[in-house]
Amino acid sequence: MSEFLEQRFALRKNQTTVRQELTAGLTTFLTMAYITVVNPGVLSEAGMDFGAVFVATCLAAALGSAIMGLYANYPVAQAPGLGQSAFFTYTVVLGLGHSWQSALGAVFVSGILFIILSILPVREWLINAIPHSLKLGISAGIGFFLGIIALNGSGITVVDDATLLSLGDLSQRPAFLMLLGFIIIVGLSSRRMPGAVIIGMLSVTILGWLTGSSEFKGVLSLPPSMNSLMQLDIAAALDISFVTVILTLLLVDVFDTAGTLVGVANRANMLDQRGHLPHLRRALLADSGATAAGALLGTSSTTSFIESAAGVEAGGRTGLTAMTTSCLFLSCLFIAPLAQSIPEFATGAALLYVATVMARALQDLAWSDVAESAPAVVTAIAIPLTFSIADGIGLGFICYALIKLVSGNIRGCPLAVYLVAVVFILKFLLLE
């Protein structure tokens, strides 16, 4: 078995071991497990059955992660994206008045378009054309994004009408336990202890159970019925009224995926000497194929999860990490109560740690060249403050292209960046 895994995932070449990959896969799963509960909760507001979406979410995550691991050999897990789920429910169904069946049809059509773009060199060309400075800004921006999610989720920061965000009540147990988990993770990581992230998460999870701050919901249960399978309405999605919906899904998925793959790959030292991602087309096909499959199963767009960075930080370097996460999502069909027992403050501790690690990318910026550093910093700031990886990347592209034009260095900007900047300008003006 060890020899088979070595041949399939090139473990020695990537300076990793089976144990390290399994630990990383478990870490990624623990930071992503919330989606099995949150995604059904969001889509149920669109009229979908919670139990059916729970099953679809687990299966889509397992399938997408398996494809990414086996086909692309990336330590990146996939699952239905929360941003895409919110767009599905609050904009397409509740806002525009479409049925959830037709919205699933739109997700499927966008998935087919993703596959076509992934087969053609267009999508790969776009991602590889992202300037190195913007890749660093994207990586740091995603880190800040994860940091805000972690702080808000545990109540350390709260929404404030006057200042947007303000300090929450630190005397509350979730806030205290999240900071404690973060301190444990950082302290053990500084001592280079294997599994530091998992130890920190499980430590505060158990403390949460013992103090009543979180609920232990059990271990085993049978999966609910799956009545959302093949319920998509493709014919309705082909109506002219769905054009902007499908285009928005396309843009968000393309650039969410781009940002996630670049950010995770940069942290895993996977970029080649030109700053390009290896065998990128396979990763893009895995992502786009998972979106189409997820729509057939009965859930919103499946995408690469930035929480994979937690697994990478735990040592994940190959597709065996994603395969481990895939198997855990399958088992989640039967251990849903246990997965739901991991509190948000425990996953928040891991996400805050990953945020601090990913923010290091800014140290590699060419700070003496303001035309390169400024757009990267704008990207890093915009991703968390717009609460959208895609929109933050869009603002970064626009700034980069226009700064090159104004500075007179037109040829210093790749053609793809100019094209993407124009696309995002049209999106912000016409599709928002």
Side-chain angles (χ1 to χ4, degrees):
M1 177 59 72
S2 296
E3 189 60 32
F4 168 77
L5 294 176
E6 170 59 35
Q7 292 177 357
R8 188 69 191 80
F9 298 107
L11 300 178
R12 283 192 289 269
K13 179 181 177 181
N14 288 284
Q15 299 180 336
T16 184
T17 63
V18 172
R19 180 179 179 180
Q20 189 170 304
E21 295 291 298
L22 295 179
T23 300
L26 175 60
T27 303
T28 296
F29 171 75
L30 289 175
T31 59
M32 287 178 61
Y34 71 88
I35 199 64
T36 63
V37 180
V38 176
N39 190 55
V42 172
L43 294 189
S44 64
E45 294 190 42
M48 301 183 72
D49 178 70
F50 183 96
V53 179
F54 169 78
V55 176
T57 300
C58 292
L59 291 178
L63 178 62
S65 300
I67 296 173
M68 184 67 79
L70 286 173
Y71 184 58
N73 199 24
Y74 270 48
V76 176
Q78 299 196 76
L82 190 53
Q84 288 89 330
S85 299
F87 177 74
F88 181 104
T89 295
Y90 303 115
T91 299
V92 181
V93 177
L94 299 181
L96 299 177
H98 297 296
S99 68
W100 61 264
Q101 292 89 343
S102 60
L104 282 178
V107 172
F108 179 77
V109 172
S110 69
I112 297 301
L113 292 175
F114 300 159
I115 292 173
I116 294 172
L117 286 178
S118 299
I119 293 174
L120 299 173
V122 177
R123 199 171 171 189
E124 186 176 3
W125 172 65
L126 283 175
I127 294 177
N128 280 332
I130 300 175
H132 182 63
S133 59
L134 285 185
K135 287 178 179 175
L136 296 174
I138 290 169
S139 182
I142 290 173
F144 295 142
F145 188 25
L146 292 179
I148 286 182
I149 291 173
L151 294 172
N152 280 356
S154 59
I156 293 177
T157 57
V158 293
V159 175
D160 188 289
D161 291 337
T163 62
L164 299 182
L165 289 174
S166 63
L167 186 66
D169 185 357
L170 299 187
S171 66
Q172 296 298 310
R173 286 178 185 168
F176 171 77
L177 289 172
M178 196 279 259
L179 287 175
L180 176 61
F182 171 71
I183 291 168
I184 292 173
I185 292 171
V186 174
L188 296 180
S189 296
S190 69
R191 299 173 65 176
R192 302 189 182 280
M193 180 174 290
V197 175
I198 291 179
I199 293 172
M201 290 177 63
L202 293 182
S203 297
V204 293
T205 294
I206 293 172
L207 282 175
W209 294 343
L210 294 176
T211 59
S213 302
S214 59
E215 181 184 357
F216 176 69
K217 300 179 180 179
V219 180
L220 298 174
S221 68
L222 291 175
S225 62
M226 192 175 178
N227 56 26
S228 62
L229 180 66
M230 298 297 293
Q231 293 297 308
L232 66 169
D233 189 345
I234 299 175
L238 295 176
D239 186 82
I240 189 67
S241 62
F242 269 93
V243 171
T244 56
V245 170
I246 292 172
L247 285 177
T248 300
L249 287 169
L250 177 67
L251 284 173
V252 170
D253 195 69
V254 166
F255 287 99
D256 265 0
T257 300
T260 298
L261 292 179
V262 167
V264 173
N266 182 66
R267 184 59 202 151
N269 296 318
M270 292 173 61
L271 302 179
D272 62 21
Q273 294 180 344
R274 297 178 299 168
H276 292 177
L277 288 159
H279 41 269
L280 175 58
R281 187 172 300 181
R282 291 189 175 191
L284 298 177
L285 278 170
D287 184 272
S288 53
T291 292
L296 295 174
L297 292 168
T299 185
S300 52
S301 299
T302 302
T303 188
S304 300
F305 257 56
I306 190 53
E307 282 84 350
S308 303
V312 166
E313 193 56 36
R317 293 295 181 271
T318 74
L320 184 55
T321 294
M323 281 300 303
T324 303
T325 305
S326 172
C327 293
L328 290 170
F329 270 115
L330 277 181
S331 68
C332 197
L333 290 170
F334 302 94
I335 59 169
L338 183 60
Q340 295 170 23
S341 298
I342 305 295
E344 192 170 7
F345 57 77
T347 59
L351 293 182
L352 184 60
Y353 170 65
V354 172
T356 63
V357 172
M358 296 190 73
R360 297 178 195 165
L362 291 179
Q363 72 180 351
D364 296 325
L365 275 178
W367 290 102
S368 59
D369 186 351
V370 69
E372 290 289 332
S373 61
V377 173
V378 168
T379 304
I381 295 173
I383 287 176
L385 294 186
T386 62
F387 223 72
S388 168
I389 295 174
D391 288 345
I393 291 174
L395 289 172
F397 268 82
I398 292 170
C399 288
Y400 191 93
L402 294 181
I403 287 172
K404 290 296 182 181
L405 282 174
V406 174
S407 65
N409 187 17
I410 298 176
R411 294 184 178 180
C413 178
L415 176 60
V417 175
Y418 286 120
L419 293 176
V420 172
V422 170
V423 169
F424 269 105
I425 289 172
L426 294 175
K427 175 187 180 293
F428 292 147
L429 294 178
L430 302 178
L431 299 182
E432 295 296 309

